[in-house]
Amino acid sequence: MARQNDLLMDISILYRSTQKYYDKKLANLSLTYAQLPILIAIYEEEGISMQKIALDGGYDKGTITKNVQKLVNLGYVIVQSSIKDKRAKELYTTDKTKEVMNQIYSIRRNWWKHIIQSIPSKKIEEFSYLYEDMAENAKVFADKDDEQVQFFDHQKVDLSFYTDKVSTVLSTAGCNFRCKHCTKRNLIFLNENRMELNLEDIKNFLEKRKDIYDAVCLKEPEPLMHQELAPFLRYVKKLGYLVKIQTNGSYPDRLKSWIDQKLIDFVSLDIKNAPSYYGETIGIPNFNTDIITKSIEILKKGQIDYDITITLIKELHDTNRLKEMAGWLKGVKQVTLMSNPSTMVENYHAFDQNEMNEALHIFKAVIPNIQIKGEAYVSGREA
Ligand code: SF4
């Protein structure tokens, strides 16, 4: 793993170890690590307000109120009305605090001495500045109410995903399934340094090409996880694009809502396996396939154009499961079977021509409109 990806883990270890040390050392004073920075802030700026402590330390109001109340109950702090403004509350330490502050500083000094031992002072100084800047950035960013959709992949032109359309394909990040055969893991488990694409650049791209391109497509990992995608789709529709969404079918209510709002024009529902083997296939044992059935039923109503896609994999789909799947999908308008050797992850293998023919035969018995897509299966069928 790249160095910067470990940084937050290191910070977390440092934080938890520090907490453990302080809680142990402060136990005889009935104090905890959570109260310590607040007590020190009051001691070093007598008369300080709760708001200022919250602002300086990046705390929420509830945390400050709770901890100040504990310090008051323990006799370490008193709260007084300000002489200048009776509504304003000022915090002061008591004599009890002043008596123990040297002990507290000593506990803090000993911990610091221990964790910086054998590290050159120049390095410590540099790290302190760096850490201070990072903490400030984190504080500002955590307060932002940033509900904008984030994209992590943009395939500028695609001529095959939306049949007969010139499309541009965007991907969000994250998925609620854990399929072992997944080819999108880099978009599900994001590295810390994996940055989202600039949304303004994407919008400029779409605005410039609205008369040349037909469609905007959203591919897996699961786009329907992202409620914040809806305003973006509204914007895309206003530009005049068609919208195609690929989904794993686990958000039927949102799917229905976006269809009703006419935010999407085509749905590609990716079915992973027969209901009896669904949980194992998607890495969620005991998964209830009722929600997938609900998505299938929504599409079957015919309110929107759709297809059902199935990627066939030797290790996951035997004859019994194919039969069960075909029965489950009975009544759908169209099914597309796929199995490309070049998109298989390690330990998983695509169907060969004979297996593909057998699958086609099984599905055709129940679903008349069935097609095959895939580089290995070109003879007489769509590639
Ligand atoms: S549903 Fe698709 S994106 Fe999600 S884990 Fe499975 S294969 Fe990957």
Side-chain angles (χ1 to χ4, degrees):
M1 201 186 282
R3 193 55 226 150
Q4 66 262 47
N5 297 333
D6 290 331
L7 181 63
L8 288 191
M9 183 61 84
D10 291 342
I11 291 173
S12 168
I13 292 168
L14 182 60
Y15 175 80
R16 281 179 282 119
S17 307
T18 305
Q19 185 177 33
K20 214 158 124 187
Y21 165 84
Y22 273 98
D23 283 347
K24 200 166 64 187
K25 294 286 177 188
L26 293 169
N28 67 336
L29 300 174
S30 305
L31 288 168
T32 66
Y33 180 55
Q35 293 147 6
L36 194 68
I38 297 170
L39 186 62
I40 292 176
I42 300 168
Y43 180 74
E44 293 183 355
E45 192 179 332
E46 298 282 352
I48 193 172
S49 66
M50 286 199 224
Q51 290 82 344
K52 181 152 192 308
I53 299 175
L55 200 67
D56 292 349
Y59 297 102
D60 60 70
K61 216 174 131 203
T63 305
I64 291 292
T65 309
K66 198 174 76 189
N67 281 301
V68 166
Q69 192 53 53
K70 278 187 191 161
L71 289 169
V72 170
N73 294 345
L74 288 165
Y76 285 110
V77 166
I78 50 169
V79 183
Q80 285 182 2
S81 296
S82 163
I83 295 169
K84 289 186 211 143
D85 177 359
K86 288 262 178 276
R87 287 166 304 171
K89 300 286 178 222
E90 293 172 346
L91 306 174
Y92 294 89
T93 54
T94 59
D95 288 346
K96 182 178 174 182
T97 299
K98 291 173 182 91
E99 276 168 28
V100 297
M101 270 324 280
N102 273 349
Q103 192 184 338
I104 288 173
Y105 278 139
S106 164
I107 292 170
R108 190 169 75 163
R109 209 164 42 243
N110 282 341
W111 179 243
W112 183 245
K113 262 196 264 177
H114 180 77
I115 61 171
I116 65 162
Q117 64 181 320
S118 75
I119 303 175
S121 56
K122 180 91 184 119
K123 268 194 172 181
I124 293 288
E125 196 184 342
E126 282 168 8
F127 178 75
S128 296
Y129 285 127
L130 180 74
Y131 198 81
E132 199 176 277
D133 286 348
M134 284 173 69
E136 190 52 38
N137 289 343
K139 218 161 58 171
V140 171
F141 192 67
D143 283 343
K144 263 192 182 172
D145 185 17
D146 197 345
E147 269 292 303
Q148 279 195 326
V149 66
Q150 297 185 337
F151 296 108
F152 289 84
D153 194 47
H154 184 190
Q155 186 191 332
K156 303 271 165 73
V157 191
D158 182 282
L159 301 174
S160 63
F161 184 61
Y162 199 152
T163 309
D164 299 331
K165 303 281 184 265
V166 179
S167 307
T168 192
V169 182
L170 291 161
S171 298
T172 47
C175 187
N176 52 334
F177 287 4
R178 290 291 174 269
C179 310
K180 291 200 183 81
H181 61 280
C182 181
T183 56
K184 302 283 174 63
R185 297 178 88 80
N186 63 330
L187 288 172
I188 296 173
F189 307 111
L190 291 182
N191 284 340
E192 238 170 53
N193 56 350
R194 176 87 190 233
M195 293 297 157
E196 77 276 16
L197 303 177
N198 186 309
L199 193 57
E200 283 314 305
D201 288 348
I202 293 172
K203 287 184 169 178
N204 285 338
F205 178 93
L206 295 175
E207 280 165 30
K208 275 191 194 145
R209 290 160 182 83
K210 64 181 172 16
D211 297 323
I212 312 167
Y213 284 43
D214 303 305
V216 174
C217 299
L218 281 306
K219 269 193 176 180
E220 284 186 331
E222 186 54 39
L224 279 161
M225 277 180 80
H226 301 278
Q227 195 174 3
E228 69 281 9
L229 191 54
F232 179 79
L233 295 182
R234 232 165 261 129
Y235 155 82
V236 164
K237 292 302 295 172
K238 267 195 199 141
L239 292 179
Y241 284 99
L242 294 166
V243 172
K244 176 172 177 175
I245 275 199
Q246 184 182 41
T247 175
N248 63 24
S250 58
Y251 291 87
D253 296 337
R254 191 166 293 157
L255 175 68
K256 175 83 173 71
S257 160
W258 288 6
I259 292 172
D260 289 345
Q261 293 177 62
K262 300 195 186 321
L263 297 181
I264 38 186
D265 301 278
F266 198 110
V267 177
S268 180
L269 173 57
D270 201 42
I271 293 293
K272 308 294 180 189
N273 214 329
S276 64
Y277 202 66
Y278 224 87
E280 283 78 354
T281 306
I282 64 165
I284 305 173
N286 306 320
F287 177 78
N288 186 340
T289 51
D290 286 355
I291 50 166
I292 309 292
T293 306
K294 196 171 170 187
S295 290
I296 296 169
E297 292 304 321
I298 289 167
L299 297 180
K300 271 163 78 175
K301 289 204 171 93
Q303 200 181 337
I304 190 165
D305 212 357
Y306 73 94
D307 70 357
I308 307 282
T309 57
I310 303 168
T311 299
L312 295 169
I313 299 172
K314 273 183 200 283
E315 290 74 12
L316 299 177
H317 303 107
D318 61 17
T319 306
N320 288 337
R321 286 175 199 151
L322 293 178
K323 284 183 182 165
E324 190 187 332
M325 242 193 303
W328 185 33
L329 296 174
K330 191 174 176 183
V332 301
K333 195 183 77 179
Q334 170 178 310
V335 169
T336 302
L337 302 179
M338 304 179 289
S339 198
N340 288 340
S342 63
T343 58
M344 292 290 144
V345 300
E346 208 182 338
N347 299 326
Y348 289 94
H349 300 90
F351 270 28
D352 60 28
Q353 186 75 62
N354 287 339
E355 289 164 325
M356 214 61 185
N357 286 340
E358 190 203 347
L360 186 69
H361 183 71
I362 291 169
F363 276 90
K364 230 180 178 134
V366 221
I367 300 156
N369 192 359
I370 179 112
Q371 61 170 338
I372 289 183
K373 268 192 181 176
E375 61 208 41
Y377 315 103
V378 291
S379 58
R381 300 182 190 100
E382 189 178 345

